[in-house]
Amino acid sequence: MSLIKWSTVESPEIRIGNRTLSSRYFLSPLAGYTQHAFRVALRRLGGVGLCTTDLVLASHLLAGSRKSKALLKTSSADRPLTVQIFGGVTEELVKAARWLETAGYEAVDLNMGCPMAKINGSGGGARIMCSPEKACQMVADVVDAVSLPVTVKMRLGWDRDSITAPLLAREFEQAGVAAITIHGRTRNQGFGGSVDLDGIRQTVEAVQEIPVIGNGDVCTVEDAFRMREETGCEAVSIGRGAMMDPWIFRKIEMTLKGDQPVEEPDREEQIAFLEHHFRLMIDHYDNYGCQLIRKFAAWYGARLGIPEDLEDRLRRLESADEFQEIVNQIRERHGERESSVPTALVKTPNGPVERW
Ligand SMILES: Cc1cc2nc3c(=O)[nH]c(=O)nc-3n(C[C@H](O)[C@H](O)[C@H](O)COP(=O)(O)O)c2cc1C
């Protein structure tokens, strides 16, 4: 299997623009989940090549809104990091990219993949893929405005009758983009169906030199290698799979190094991760961290087999003291509920994609 080929002949490192990243397996942004605290907790487990912030609206960034400041929060433990921006107005994207460069951020990613109506309505996200000329000009203007590496994250196209990713990838490379991440679904697919590895492969084949990063439905080490094998992509970005199994990057790294057996984290290590994540939330966001951790209750509940009543308390958490009490009980009541990691835990919008 090509895994053997990769682990013996391929460097684990990858170059994107002026950056050398130590692993080809990246965390995909999941707005509302992959904040600073989660990224730092995840990085400590090992094997993560790159993290990206949740998408930041360029006009909000320029206005210095509270929300965008929270999204831009980072620290020395949160490297390497790319900031993802979006918007339908080129001028704003250019200014936002310049602002990020001056503020010392390392790289900019342009979101051209988000399927949400409120984002597409403003001409941002996946909507831009419908206007290839505008998209290319927008990308070229941002690339020309900064010396930071500029990357693009996009879907295969708007719908299956307009698969624009290969064409756009080729044009973006000419415009000077350092890498492209491609989620192998169309905008109309939303998060439904399965990822089209062939579509990703066509995008990989459309570019000359820049790395293409494959994305979508990677939940296990085997999925990550299959993504590379079947698409020829140079790196893989993992979103929901990293929420379900934050150890996935470490497992990939161990597998590539030939360290066997690749062990699952034991229960104590999983609880320690929850505690570390929460401590970072409080350090970064004070008591607001209690609200932010609530979103993770279902995931931690399933992953750790937390009894339903404790999971429910985590979902309504008010204070750090209460958190400690819950964790103590999680330790004591070990084994009351089977742990499982159903994919549906990270909520994706449902219903007709036009109404998202
Ligand atoms: C809750 C949620 C939030 C997301 N937020 C972002 C985002 O801020 N920026 C972005 O480029 N993609 C975002 N995505 C898309 C993911 O990065 C990724 O492309 C998609 O989930 C497919 O990869 P996965 O199957 O590994 O999760 C989001 C997806 C979900 C489910």
Side-chain angles (χ1 to χ4, degrees):
M1 153 153 178
S2 50
L3 158 63
I4 296 161
K5 180 186 84 193
W6 289 326
S7 54
T8 52
V9 305
E10 181 183 83
S11 159
E13 293 181 346
I14 182 167
R15 250 189 107 67
I16 294 190
N18 59 8
R19 297 206 282 189
T20 301
L21 308 172
S22 63
S23 155
R24 296 164 180 262
Y25 299 89
F26 306 164
L27 175 69
S28 247
L30 297 177
Y33 293 96
T34 48
Q35 304 103 340
H36 184 199
F38 184 77
R39 298 194 300 263
V40 172
L42 185 79
R43 289 177 195 271
R44 204 165 80 169
L45 303 179
V48 183
L50 177 70
C51 293
T52 301
T53 64
D54 298 357
L55 78 181
V56 186
L57 184 58
S59 58
H60 286 187
L61 180 153
L62 295 170
S65 79
R66 231 174 68 189
K67 187 170 177 209
S68 61
K69 278 188 185 149
L71 293 175
L72 291 172
K73 219 167 197 170
T74 181
S75 61
S76 56
D78 187 27
R79 294 288 181 278
L81 179 73
T82 293
V83 176
Q84 186 183 71
I85 55 174
F86 76 101
V89 182
T90 302
E91 183 70 3
E92 287 174 356
L93 290 169
V94 164
K95 282 191 186 151
R98 284 204 183 112
W99 185 95
L100 289 167
E101 180 164 49
T102 309
Y105 290 89
E106 297 171 353
V108 178
D109 187 55
L110 299 174
N111 180 304
M112 295 196 175
C114 184
M116 305 297 285
K118 68 175 179 197
I119 285 164
N120 294 166
S122 64
R127 174 59 77 187
I128 302 173
M129 296 188 72
C130 298
S131 319
E133 256 179 53
K134 180 180 174 192
C136 292
Q137 194 57 54
M138 186 179 256
V139 167
D141 287 352
V142 176
V143 169
D144 289 347
V146 289
S147 54
L148 302 177
V150 175
T151 54
V152 173
K153 180 158 178 283
M154 60 185 173
R155 287 185 174 231
L156 293 175
W158 187 257
D159 58 29
R160 67 169 182 212
D161 297 325
S162 96
I163 301 294
T164 43
L167 165 88
L168 287 173
R170 196 176 310 125
E171 297 290 326
F172 292 167
E173 180 174 33
Q174 296 304 314
V177 153
I180 284 165
T181 304
I182 179 92
H183 176 191
R185 287 188 173 84
T186 63
R187 185 268 181 187
N188 267 13
Q189 260 185 289
F191 287 91
S194 52
V195 97
D196 175 3
L197 295 183
D198 197 47
I200 298 180
R201 170 171 279 285
Q202 286 168 26
T203 314
V204 171
E205 287 169 354
V207 301
Q208 287 181 338
E209 282 183 3
I210 57 168
V212 171
I213 301 144
N215 169 241
D217 296 354
V218 171
C219 293
T220 63
V221 175
E222 292 71 30
D223 292 343
F225 294 139
R226 188 173 324 113
M227 172 67 84
R228 296 210 52 207
E229 175 121 338
E230 292 190 18
T231 69
C233 66
E234 287 203 41
V236 178
S237 187
I238 306 173
R240 292 166 296 171
M243 285 288 306
M244 289 178 278
D245 183 6
W247 287 267
I248 190 169
F249 298 101
R250 184 173 83 186
K251 290 180 189 169
I252 291 171
E253 186 176 63
M254 288 178 76
T255 308
L256 285 169
K257 280 187 187 157
D259 291 346
Q260 296 292 339
V262 175
E263 278 165 11
E264 286 293 328
D266 65 20
R267 191 183 165 76
E268 189 44 48
E269 196 182 353
Q270 294 185 42
I271 294 175
F273 180 78
L274 165 63
E275 284 182 306
H276 185 213
H277 183 194
F278 180 70
R279 217 174 38 249
L280 289 166
M281 287 274 204
I282 295 295
D283 286 353
H284 298 163
Y285 306 102
D286 291 324
N287 213 46
Y288 180 52
C290 293
Q291 279 183 47
L292 292 175
I293 203 87
R294 292 176 191 169
K295 254 193 133 152
F296 292 81
W299 177 74
Y300 283 123
R303 169 100 218 167
L304 295 169
I306 297 177
E308 306 274 357
D309 59 312
L310 295 180
E311 180 186 317
D312 198 46
R313 284 184 65 190
L314 204 52
R315 195 172 288 113
R316 290 180 288 110
L317 188 72
E318 295 285 351
S319 71
D321 287 347
E322 190 187 1
F323 177 83
Q324 205 45 58
E325 214 182 285
I326 294 171
V327 169
N328 294 343
Q329 287 208 35
I330 292 173
R331 285 204 170 88
E332 273 171 28
R333 292 170 59 187
H334 167 78
E336 267 183 35
R337 178 178 156 198
E338 284 277 296
S339 66
S340 65
V341 271
T343 22
L345 283 173
V346 181
K347 296 260 181 299
T348 54
N350 52 30
V353 72
E354 298 73 29
R355 290 199 220 129
W356 287 8

